[in-house]
Each structure stands twice: as structure tokens, then as C-alpha cells.
Amino acid sequence: MYQIVPGGQGDQNTSERITGSPLKKKLGRDGRPLVVAGVLGCVLVLAAIVSWCYYTASLRQAQLLKTELLNLNKDGFAIRNQAGSIIFSMAFKSGTLDLDSCSKQGSVLSCSRSDSGNLNFFVQTVGFKDTVMCYRVRWEELEHERSVEHAMAYNDSHWYGGAESATQHWPISIQGEEEPLPFITSDIYNNRNAFGGILERYWLSSNATAIKINDSVPFHLGWSEKDRTLRFQARYEDSPYRPPKGQRALPELSYRVCVGSDVTSIHKYMVRRYFPKPIQVPASDVFQHPVWSTWALYKTAVTQEKLLQYASNITRHGFTCSHLELDDRYTADYGEFDFDPQKFPNASGMFERLAASGFQVSLWTHPFVNYDSINFAVGVERGYFVREPSGELPALVKWWNGIGGILDFTNPDARDWYAAQLHTLKSRYGVTSFKFDAGETSYLPRQFSTLGPLTDPSVFTRRYTEMALPFHQRAELRVGYQSQNISCFFRIIDRDSVWGYELGLKSIIPTVLTIGILGYQFVLPDMIGGNAYPNRTTGDGHGLPDRELYIRWLELSAFMPAMQFSIPPWAYDDEVVEIARKFTEFHKNLVAPRVLELAGEVLNTGDPIIRPLWWIANDDEAAYKIDSQFLIGDDLMVAPVLEPGKQERDIYLPAGRWKSRKGEYFDKGPMYLTDYPVDLDEIAYFTWVH
């Protein structure tokens, strides 16, 4: 060791240097701050280096967790628009990602671990198309059979789609807290809290985003009003979904999110890419002339005499008819395919008389065979029914008309047998088509087996809708799941004869708009005035719906793709008959030609015939919330009266030049017309003037 001594005082002895020299005292007094400063400087430099390392690592991590306009973190991800605003966000509710396990390769950002174990997670940018960006997202558990849940935030936007429901709102209104339930087709008339018979795993936002859940997901849907989220969950436990045969029940939640420039263009993109399209347009007669059903008028008490009298009254009162619909019940037992000889003693003669009078007839049918039917033994012996889990015995199911078996439409032999019965009716009597009732998975047993395994129970609904294909020209279905290419009419579920949003008059527009967004365009609203069920009817107490309700229902139906009567106008008075004649003629001459033109376009585009106002006004916040007006195409806007005791209503006109039915012009929009007069025998509609 050596010591530098300032001033060159080399002759000092060792004891002086060690013990008490003036130099030592000076160093002790003045050098200590220099040492501290040096140490502090080193610490600061080291801290700066460490901070820089952390900063550059953070930059690398931030860059790693970003793909195009999507940013990922351990708790979820967010998608921004070109202006930098968050327009879509998803939170991971069942686990968090281990970000150290994440990597990025090209357009794929992937992670291999969560806080609970190994998984397969990735986000992949899958496409540009004009202004559209799409992302594939997948969270697949590799170790645990627990559920996977992601929560989609509303982000101050309006959402549409999903499913038909008993209380239908437009846009979707989430109320309360609901744990995720199996997203499968159900009869919402009997269970008003369930998802409806027409549903798709598709939602659309006013923020120009759309989400489509993959078919492979054991999908459950819940929601939270408090958090303003939709809860998307994948699980097999306590669920009707089953993993593919031979595979462990490890859930997977996968979906596509697409972002566009506006809500209309992104929806068009999604429909063209992911939805099947109808192959043909149904018979033009059904668009032009009303369907006349026996159900609401006669219920199960219909007879040959009543049907003939009904047809005679239609003609006598000056109405046209696309076809007569003979509803429940014309057979002796449920599950048979011929006429009850007590109620229809000469069915062949009846059909001949009806044909001579220009009437075509369709028949009600369903997938059930009751245990007291002669065909029940046939179905058991030949294995035509859905079975209990072991597959040894047919499963008995309860439906609204009794107990029996339900045909297994995954079984080609059962399909062929059922189709043969329908074709026999068609050839023997000249039946024109069929009203296919039921078909919801809620009528399957909780535990069941089918010849063709169903990982998703709603595929049963799809198989049932396929039975309508040979009769599509005038066929009618009330269920749909991936069934947009079944080229027939889809009827919304039975309506009560009431004014409100719960299966009432106000629910019709939101329901038609919803199933239109889901890709079902050939819509048959329920019977004018509703079904007149006891205790579910606003009326005079004698079974008829309220007269004013009936008239307003009639006026709305005249602007739908098809009209359906059951309770006849002459059940009221001459004025109602005259109003009904006026609007059926109006439907034939003004509405049907435009609807048929749009129906032809549906085959290529899948675009709705009945459209929301935002279809032409997607930068108009007010248009996103209008649920009592609609468009036919882009240029005919309809504003029916849906409130009792009203002969006026407020009407919203989007920007553009509009001409009212009275010849008034409005071109300073967007605007509200407050208390616009609409008499009882009128409906307000406007055409867009080019």
C-alpha cells in the first residue's frame, strides 16, 4: 500500500504519520465529505443503470404485450381506435396471466402460464379488410377442469344481439346480477328468464365492435348491472355441454373480436364472414297476403266444420289468404300423422273444398310422440327417440301437451321416418307446408344421449330446423341456431295480448330487430292481437284482446315482412274490418314489393330487411336508443303507436330529407316531432327523399 502526501513531506517519521500528524487530522476533517460524495455518486449511477434496465425492460414488455391496437395485461386486454380511445375491454375473471411466460411471434401474442397453472392463451391479429381489424382470442386450460370466465365491459356503448328473450329491449338492458347460465335454446313462453329459441353467440356494439364466440366453447352467459359487464364463461361442470368423446373436460373460451369504422359496416363484415345465408326466398304469396291461423281463435277445439267456416268468413269479408294454418289439434293423439276421424270425419273432402275455394293449407307439427300414441311403440322399437344417458332406454320428456319421447334428429333413420310422415300428409291431402313448433333444447332431458353425440345441445335445434328444408316455401319455424340458411319464415315466440315489453306489443320491434341482427330476415311476427290466453289478455273479459290494442297491432304488422291473423277482425265490428282491409291492401301494395326486393338481396348480403335507425345514422347517439321505430331498407321509416289511449306520438327523424305519408317535408334533421298526430286508423311512416 502507498499513500500520496501533498507538499512532498517525505522526511516525517512513521509515528508522526500514524498517530498525530497534522496531515492525518486534515484528512479526517476535510476528506470524509469527499468519500461520502463519491459513494453517493456511485449509488446514484448504479440506481440510474438499474432504472434504465427496468425502463428498457418495461418498454420491451409493453411492446411485447401489444399487437396492433390491442394492449394486454395480466388482468385483461383493451382495444383502442385510431384516435386512441378504448372502445372494447375484456377482464380475465377466473385467473391472471403470468406475463413472464408471454412471447410474441409475428401477429401472435401468446402466454403459457396463469396464476393457477399451465394454459394455452393467445391473441392473434387475423385480418384487415378495408377499415376492419379482427383478433382471435383463446384461453384454454391445460391442467384444471375449472371454468374460464372473461367479462366484457359496456364502455359507455350500446349492445345488440345475443338471443330472443321474453322481455325484449333494444339496445340490450342488463338488470341485476346473473350468474352465467348455459347459452342454449329455450322456450321463453314457459320460462321467461331463459334465453330464447332463436339465438346466436354474437353481439354488436355502437362503438363499432363485434364479438363472436366460437362453436367449440361450452358457453355460458351471465351479467352484472353493478359492473356493467356481460360475463362470458366456458365450463363443463354442472352443464349440459360435453367435451368431445375421449377428451378430458378442460374448458376453452375462444372468440373473435372485430373493430370497424362504424357499427353498420362492422356488422355487414361479420354477417358476410361468419353467418350462413338463405339459399332461396320463401313464396312471394306469404309476403303479400296474410297467413290465417286457427290457434288463437279455436285453440285445441278446432274441427272440420270450424275450419271450413273460418275459410268461408275470410272470403265473405273480402280478405285474401296466402294459406290457412291448421294448428293444434287435428290428430287423435300427439305423435300421430293423420286426422282425428271424430273431429275431421272427411278430411279428404275438406281439403278438396278448400282447394276449390282457392285455399292452401299448412299443418302444425312438432318433435314429440306421446306415450299413448300408436307411434310411441314404433319409436321405442326402432330407436328413434332421444335416450337417457346410458343409451339403453328412451328418455321421457314433459311438454305443454303431455309426456312422451322426443325424436332424435341426429339419427338419420328418425329423420327419414319423420320426413316420410310429413310427405305422406302432403301427398294424401295436398298439404302445402308445415308449422314446425317447439325444437328448443329446454325440452331435452337434463341428462340425455343421442345417436350423434351433441357437445353443444343447441345443435339439436339446428338439426330440427333442417327438417323444414323440403317445405321451405311456406314453412314456419320458431327456433333457430346457426339456421340462417334454412330458407323459411321464423316466427317470434307467442305473444300475450298486452301492451308492454314482456311478450306484448312493445316487444315486437325489439325482437324483430334482434333476430334480424342475428341473421334471420324472413320474420313472421306472432298473430295480430296476440294469442288471447286466459289471464294474459288486456281486453273486455270475454276472451278478445282490447280493441285498440288489436288495431295498433294490426297496423304494426302491416309493415312487417309478413302478416298473420288468427283472431279475425269481424270478431269486433265493421270499423275494425274496414281498417283491417285497408292495411292488408296497404301491405300488399306498398310494403310487400319493397320487402321482396330486399329479400332477394338477403341471399347475397344477409343484411336485415327490418333495420334499426342507426343503420343509416351511425354517428347519431339518439338513433342507438330508439326501440319504437324501424326502417324497411334504408328509405322507409315506420313509427307505430304502441301506447294505449294515444292518438299522437313523438317521432325521431335522423338527418336527411323525409317526406311523411301526408306529404309534409322535413329536411332540417335530426329532429324530434313532438306529439305528431296519428289517428286510430293511421300509422306514421316517412320516406327518405333522395
Side-chain angles (χ1 to χ4, degrees), residues 73 114 182 205 220-221 229 272 422 448 486 492 591 618 657 683:
N73 61 59
S114 71
S205 161
H220 297 66
L221 177 67
T229 59
R272 285 155 176 72
L422 301 183
F448 66 90
I486 308 297
I492 64 177
V591 178
N618 47 56
R657 190 164 192 246
I683 189 170

Side-chain angles (χ1 to χ4, degrees), residues 402-476:
I403 297 174
I406 184 168
L407 291 167
D408 178 3
F409 293 104
T410 73
N411 182 343
D413 293 337
R415 290 201 305 268
D416 290 346
W417 178 81
Y418 181 64
Q421 307 307 310
L422 301 183
H423 281 291
T424 297
L425 280 168
K426 184 175 173 65
S427 60
R428 181 181 297 169
Y429 298 107
V431 172
T432 187
S433 193
F434 296 91
K435 172 185 176 179
F436 291 85
D437 213 350
E440 297 92 346
T441 61
S442 55
Y443 288 110
L444 294 171
R446 177 68 174 172
Q447 301 292 329
F448 66 90
S449 65
T450 50
L451 185 66
L454 295 178
T455 57
D456 177 357
S458 291
V459 173
F460 178 87
T461 294
R462 162 69 195 183
R463 296 289 170 261
Y464 180 55
T465 63
E466 291 168 355
M467 301 307 301
L469 278 169
F471 314 101
H472 73 91
Q473 285 286 312
R474 296 172 187 269
E476 173 187 327

Side-chain angles (χ1 to χ4, degrees), residues 291-298 310 527-528 530 564-568:
V291 177
W292 293 81
S293 171
T294 63
W295 174 247
L297 182 61
Y298 298 118
Y310 192 39
M527 302 160 196
I528 292 167
Q564 186 176 34
F565 283 102
S566 185
I567 298 168

Side-chain angles (χ1 to χ4, degrees), residues 209-404:
T209 58
I211 182 168
K212 178 83 166 55
I213 310 295
N214 287 357
D215 298 344
S216 57
V217 175
F219 182 55
H220 297 66
L221 177 67
W223 53 84
S224 171
E225 182 179 10
K226 176 173 64 72
D227 298 335
R228 291 192 57 76
T229 59
L230 289 180
R231 299 171 59 186
F232 299 149
Q233 188 184 85
R235 77 167 191 264
Y236 289 109
E237 185 180 0
D238 188 30
S239 163
Y241 295 98
R242 296 289 175 266
K245 189 174 182 180
Q247 294 187 19
R248 189 178 165 192
L250 295 171
E252 160 219 330
L253 181 57
S254 56
Y255 47 89
R256 289 172 170 83
V257 179
C258 291
V259 180
S261 59
D262 63 78
V263 62
T264 305
S265 64
I266 191 61
H267 177 67
K268 287 184 175 185
Y269 172 81
M270 297 297 286
V271 167
R272 285 155 176 72
R273 185 172 181 87
Y274 297 118
F275 286 179
K277 310 297 182 299
I279 302 167
Q280 294 175 286
V281 176
S284 59
D285 276 1
V286 188
F287 291 97
Q288 295 167 332
H289 307 291
V291 177
W292 293 81
S293 171
T294 63
W295 174 247
L297 182 61
Y298 298 118
K299 303 295 193 293
T300 59
V302 66
T303 64
Q304 177 174 317
E305 181 182 359
K306 290 176 179 177
L307 181 63
L308 290 170
Q309 185 61 52
Y310 192 39
S312 175
N313 285 336
I314 292 168
T315 302
R316 183 166 61 87
H317 286 92
F319 289 95
T320 59
C321 176
S322 65
H323 60 267
L324 273 175
E325 191 172 78
L326 177 53
D327 210 295
D328 182 10
R329 117 183 221 184
Y330 58 89
T331 60
D333 294 302
Y334 294 105
E336 296 178 9
F337 296 88
D338 208 346
F339 288 86
D340 179 348
Q342 300 298 317
K343 299 174 74 175
F344 296 86
N346 183 10
S348 295
M350 178 186 73
F351 273 87
E352 289 171 3
R353 287 180 60 182
L354 290 169
S357 300
F359 286 96
Q360 299 191 68
V361 181
S362 67
L363 297 179
W364 178 72
T365 187
H366 54 82
F368 307 105
V369 179
N370 280 8
Y371 68 87
D372 54 356
S373 164
I374 57 174
N375 284 324
F376 186 76
V378 175
V380 171
E381 179 183 354
R382 300 181 184 177
Y384 290 163
F385 297 138
V386 172
R387 294 178 169 264
E388 46 79 38
S390 72
E392 296 295 322
L393 297 171
L396 292 180
V397 300
K398 184 177 181 180
W399 62 299
W400 67 90
N401 276 330
I403 297 174

Side-chain angles (χ1 to χ4, degrees), residues 135-167:
Y135 307 90
R136 291 176 57 206
V137 182
R138 181 185 179 99
W139 182 304
E140 180 185 16
E141 290 290 330
L142 299 179
E143 296 179 3
H144 305 288
E145 297 180 357
R146 64 192 184 95
S147 64
V148 179
E149 183 176 326
H150 295 177
M152 183 181 74
Y154 263 45
N155 284 322
D156 297 321
S157 61
H158 307 289
W159 285 88
Y160 313 91
E164 182 182 20
S165 61
T167 303

Side-chain angles (χ1 to χ4, degrees), residues 646-660:
K646 299 289 187 181
Q647 296 199 29
E648 67 283 323
R649 64 156 293 167
D650 294 343
I651 296 172
Y652 185 72
L653 296 178
R657 190 164 192 246
W658 296 94
K659 180 183 178 182
S660 77

